[in-house]
Amino acid sequence: MNKKIFIGATVLAGIGTYKFINSQQQNKLNENWTTANIPDLTGQVIIVTGANSGIGFEAAKEFARKGAQTILACRNVNKAQAALAQIQAEIPQSKVEIMPLNLASQSSIRQFVGEFKKKYQRLDVLANNAGIMMVPYGITEDGFEQQFGTNHLGHFALTGLLIDLLLNTPHARVVNVSSNAHRFGTMDFDNLMYDGGKGYSPQQAYGRSKLANLLFTYELQRRFQAIGAKAIAVAAHPGYSSTNLTDSILKHWYVKMLFPLVSRMAQSSAMGALPTMRASVDPNVIGGQYFGPAGFMEQGGYPVVVPSTQASHNAADARQLWQVSETLTGVAFNL
Ligand SMILES: NC(=O)c1ccc[n+]([C@@H]2O[C@H](COP(=O)([O-])OP(=O)(O)OC[C@H]3O[C@@H](n4cnc5c(N)ncnc54)[C@H](OP(=O)(O)O)[C@@H]3O)[C@@H](O)[C@H]2O)c1
C-alpha cells in the first residue's frame, strides 16, 4: 500500500514538474515582446525597404527612436519625405535618411547600393520589407513578373550586392518579410513567372513570391552557416495588419460584401510591425527563425517564433531558386 502511494505521488510530482517546466517555456515563448524590448541601437545602420508606409514605416520609426542610423529605401521620394517629416516631428534627434530604391528595377537597385556604399562602411540590419500584393499580371522593367520580381528578385539582388558589408559587420542580419500567404504558394520552375500571363492568378503569384522569401531566408542562413559567418538570415510576417496593402484589397465592393467583418479583424500596422522588429533586433534571435503574431491563426498578437510550411523548408527548391535568381538578376553572392 505504502509502495503504491509512493509510486502514485512520484508520478504526480513528475507530471506536475513537467507541466511547470513546459508552462515556463511556453510563457517565455509567448512573452509580450513590444517596442520596449528594443535595445539601444546607437551606432547601428539599418536599411528598411518600403519604409514610407505600413509595417516598414513603423519599424523604421522605432529603429530610429532607439538611435539607429535608419535608411528609408523607397521608390516614391515624395511619400518618403512625408514619412521622414513624420518621424522627425515625433523623434527630433533621430538619424533618418531617404535613399531612392525601386525594387522593380535592377538598375535602381544597383544605383542604390552604389550610393549606400559611398556613405556607409557597415550594415547591421537589412530589412527586406517592401512588397506588392495580388496585383494583375504585369512585368517589371527587366521583364520579371512583377510580384516575384519586386518581392523576391528585387530583395535577392539587393541582398547579394550588399553581402560584403553584411559579412563585415559583426552580427549583421537579413530580415525577409513573408506572409501567411506563403502557405498557398507553390514553386513551378517550368513557369516560374507565368510567362506572358500563362496560368497567372494574382493570389497564386503573391503566394509564390512569399514562399520564395522563406526559401531564400533559409538557404541564405545555410550558406552563412557553411562559411562560419556571424551574420544571420531571419524571416517575419505581420499576420493581418491594416496597411495600404490590405486596405487596397478591402476597398473592392465584392470584398466588402463577402467579408463584411474582415476589415475589423485587422490589427494595427504598429502591432503588425512587431515581428519584423523582433527579428531585426532582439539579441536572442537565432538564424533561420521565422517570427509572426502569436494569436489565432497567426493573424494578430505579439511576436513569437512560428512554423512555416514543409514547402518552405525544401532545400532542393531553395537551391534551385537561388541559382535561377542569380541567373535572372546577374547578382552572384560572394559567399
Ligand atoms: N499588411 C498585412 O496584413 C501583410 C500581411 C502579410 C504580409 N505583409 C507583407 O508586409 C510587407 C509590408 O507591406 P505593408 O502591409 O506594410 O504594405 P504597404 O503599406 O503597402 O507598404 C508596402 C511598401 O512597399 C513599397 N513598395 C512596393 N513596391 C516597391 C518597389 N518596387 N520598390 C520599392 N518599394 C516598393 C511601397 O511603396 P509605395 O508606398 O510607393 O507603394 C510601400 O512603402 C510586404 O512585404 C507584405 O507582403 C503584409
Side-chain angles (χ1 to χ4, degrees), residues 125-181:
V125 179
L126 171 59
N128 287 325
N129 157 79
I132 51 174
M133 178 171 80
M134 299 181 194
V135 291
Y137 178 76
I139 54 171
T140 68
E141 70 174 44
D142 305 288
F144 306 146
E145 184 280 304
Q146 57 179 341
Q147 298 196 70
F148 189 76
T150 306
N151 299 354
H152 169 64
L153 288 174
H155 286 126
F156 179 90
L158 179 66
T159 309
L161 293 167
L162 289 167
I163 204 78
D164 47 346
L165 282 191
L166 288 161
L167 290 174
N168 284 334
T169 306
H171 306 286
R173 292 183 193 190
V174 175
V175 178
N176 293 323
V177 179
S178 183
S179 165
N180 272 327

Side-chain angles (χ1 to χ4, degrees), residues 50 52-55 75-76 79 101-104 129-132 150 177-179 206 210 238-241 243-246:
N52 57 283
S53 82
I55 308 301
R75 64 174 166 178
N76 182 317
K79 286 187 191 175
L101 169 68
N102 179 3
L103 289 154
N129 157 79
I132 51 174
T150 306
V177 179
S178 183
S179 165
Y206 181 65
K210 291 288 138 182
Y240 174 33
S241 311
T243 65
N244 288 342
L245 211 65
T246 44

Side-chain angles (χ1 to χ4, degrees), residues 23-272:
S23 74
Q24 291 295 98
Q25 281 172 337
Q26 205 58 32
N27 285 345
K28 207 170 172 210
L29 186 75
N30 291 339
E31 83 192 6
N32 291 347
W33 194 95
T34 68
T35 53
N37 294 83
I38 301 178
D40 179 26
L41 301 175
T42 307
Q44 293 207 15
V45 177
I46 299 183
I47 295 175
V48 182
T49 69
N52 57 283
S53 82
I55 308 301
F57 172 74
E58 295 296 334
K61 187 174 68 178
E62 296 310 321
F63 297 152
R65 195 189 304 279
K66 293 291 177 156
Q69 172 69 49
T70 309
I71 288 87
L72 313 181
C74 303
R75 64 174 166 178
N76 182 317
V77 174
N78 289 337
K79 286 187 191 175
Q81 267 160 354
L84 176 70
Q86 217 179 317
I87 295 174
Q88 282 174 336
E90 197 176 319
I91 315 155
Q93 76 283 8
S94 58
K95 290 179 258 160
V96 187
E97 180 186 359
I98 296 166
M99 291 184 69
L101 169 68
N102 179 3
L103 289 154
S105 158
Q106 291 293 312
S107 74
S108 168
I109 295 167
R110 282 168 170 75
Q111 205 166 342
F112 171 89
V113 172
E115 291 302 314
F116 182 81
K117 285 184 176 174
K118 274 187 215 160
K119 288 187 168 179
Y120 299 101
Q121 282 74 50
R122 64 182 296 139
L123 177 55
D124 295 86
V125 179
L126 171 59
N128 287 325
N129 157 79
I132 51 174
M133 178 171 80
M134 299 181 194
V135 291
Y137 178 76
I139 54 171
T140 68
E141 70 174 44
D142 305 288
F144 306 146
E145 184 280 304
Q146 57 179 341
Q147 298 196 70
F148 189 76
T150 306
N151 299 354
H152 169 64
L153 288 174
H155 286 126
F156 179 90
L158 179 66
T159 309
L161 293 167
L162 289 167
I163 204 78
D164 47 346
L165 282 191
L166 288 161
L167 290 174
N168 284 334
T169 306
H171 306 286
R173 292 183 193 190
V174 175
V175 178
N176 293 323
V177 179
S178 183
S179 165
N180 272 327
H182 86 273
R183 296 182 177 280
F184 55 75
T186 54
M187 300 312 288
D188 173 4
F189 288 100
D190 292 331
N191 189 20
L192 194 58
M193 294 197 281
Y194 307 89
D195 287 341
K198 196 176 121 205
Y200 184 79
S201 128
Q203 292 78 10
Q204 286 295 322
Y206 181 65
R208 179 170 297 174
S209 74
K210 291 288 138 182
L211 174 59
N213 290 150
L214 287 175
L215 287 166
F216 171 43
T217 306
Y218 300 146
E219 182 63 19
L220 181 58
Q221 176 58 25
R222 281 190 285 272
R223 293 184 186 222
F224 278 151
Q225 253 172 338
I227 59 164
K230 288 276 191 306
I232 57 169
V234 194
H237 82 86
Y240 174 33
S241 311
S242 176
T243 65
N244 288 342
L245 211 65
T246 44
D247 294 350
S248 67
I249 298 281
L250 289 170
K251 71 174 186 252
H252 297 299
W253 65 267
Y254 53 88
V255 177
K256 280 187 193 154
M257 216 175 76
L258 289 172
F259 307 105
L261 291 176
V262 167
S263 60
R264 296 197 204 138
M265 282 160 52
Q267 61 177 351
S268 68
S269 50
M271 275 301 287

